[in-house]
Amino acid sequence: MATIKPFKGLRPPKSLVEQVESRPYDVLNSEEARTEAGDNEKSLYHIIKPEIDFAPGTSEYDPRVYEKAAENFQKFQDQGWLVQDQDEHYYIYAQTMNGKTQYGLVVGAYVNDYLDGTIKKHELTRRDKEEDRMKHVRACNANIEPVFFAYPDIRLHRPD
């Protein structure tokens, strides 16, 4: 069984959720993110797709882009657009697509549980995308977006 733990999340205040929210970084390209962010300085795209703050055509892998992600992440905290919870929590989420709702937990998980197969990969990712997100996490000292993990469905059966 995977080992999980609560953590102190960083979330936008309820009044800013709609301004901060974004789609996952890997479902749109830089120009789409630039368009969706528009003139909204509170858009999370400024952190997860920070190349939008540079001239069009700037590589998302440019070292300046990671530096900008960290700068923007700090700005969001300084401005109160992302606020860290006082206490550690297990977070519950709901995701609805095509009329079906899926519920899950957002938690801290141990890397070794992922590496040894206790937590199953939900997809095969490209090495360049893995490297990109590792650089992003290192620059920001935070994982800005959740990573979906799966684990075996272990049901406890009660004796009849």
Side-chain angles (χ1 to χ4, degrees):
M1 179 174 275
T3 303
I4 61 172
K5 61 180 268 181
F7 67 100
K8 295 179 183 180
L10 278 164
R11 303 181 291 155
K14 286 182 183 182
S15 64
L16 298 179
V17 167
E18 290 182 6
Q19 290 176 282
V20 174
E21 73 181 355
S22 71
R23 294 190 289 155
Y25 84 96
D26 61 347
V27 301
L28 68 171
N29 64 36
S30 301
E31 289 313 307
E32 291 168 327
R34 186 183 317 278
T35 299
E36 284 195 23
D39 61 0
N40 176 10
E41 67 179 336
K42 296 178 183 79
S43 172
L44 197 66
Y45 292 125
H46 292 286
I47 300 173
I48 65 170
K49 299 284 286 180
E51 66 272 15
I52 71 172
D53 292 339
F54 293 91
T58 301
S59 170
E60 61 191 287
Y61 305 115
D62 186 309
R64 297 173 302 153
V65 169
Y66 299 105
E67 293 169 15
K68 188 66 171 174
E71 178 186 316
N72 288 343
F73 182 46
Q74 187 61 55
K75 176 182 177 181
F76 273 54
Q77 293 172 79
D78 293 345
Q79 295 293 325
W81 303 339
L82 288 175
V83 179
Q84 187 165 36
D85 288 335
Q86 294 286 324
D87 300 311
E88 292 183 338
H89 298 282
Y90 296 101
Y91 298 88
I92 299 171
Y93 74 89
Q95 182 177 22
T96 302
M97 186 168 37
N98 300 325
K100 183 178 179 185
T101 302
Q102 172 183 332
Y103 297 92
L105 293 173
V106 180
V107 300
Y110 288 93
V111 171
N112 286 342
D113 286 344
Y114 181 75
L115 295 174
D116 72 16
T118 301
I119 297 170
K120 304 296 181 200
K121 291 182 179 182
H122 83 286
E123 65 182 345
L124 296 175
T125 54
R126 295 188 343 235
R127 187 69 188 151
D128 62 326
K129 291 296 180 186
E130 290 176 359
E131 286 291 328
D132 170 53
R133 289 298 97 178
M134 286 189 288
K135 288 177 182 176
H136 192 274
V137 167
R138 287 183 191 119
C140 294
N141 196 30
N143 182 9
I144 309 301
E145 293 186 288
V147 176
F148 291 99
F149 290 129
Y151 62 91
D153 184 11
I154 301 171
R155 297 183 187 263
L156 300 177
H157 298 283
R158 288 189 277 173
D160 292 334

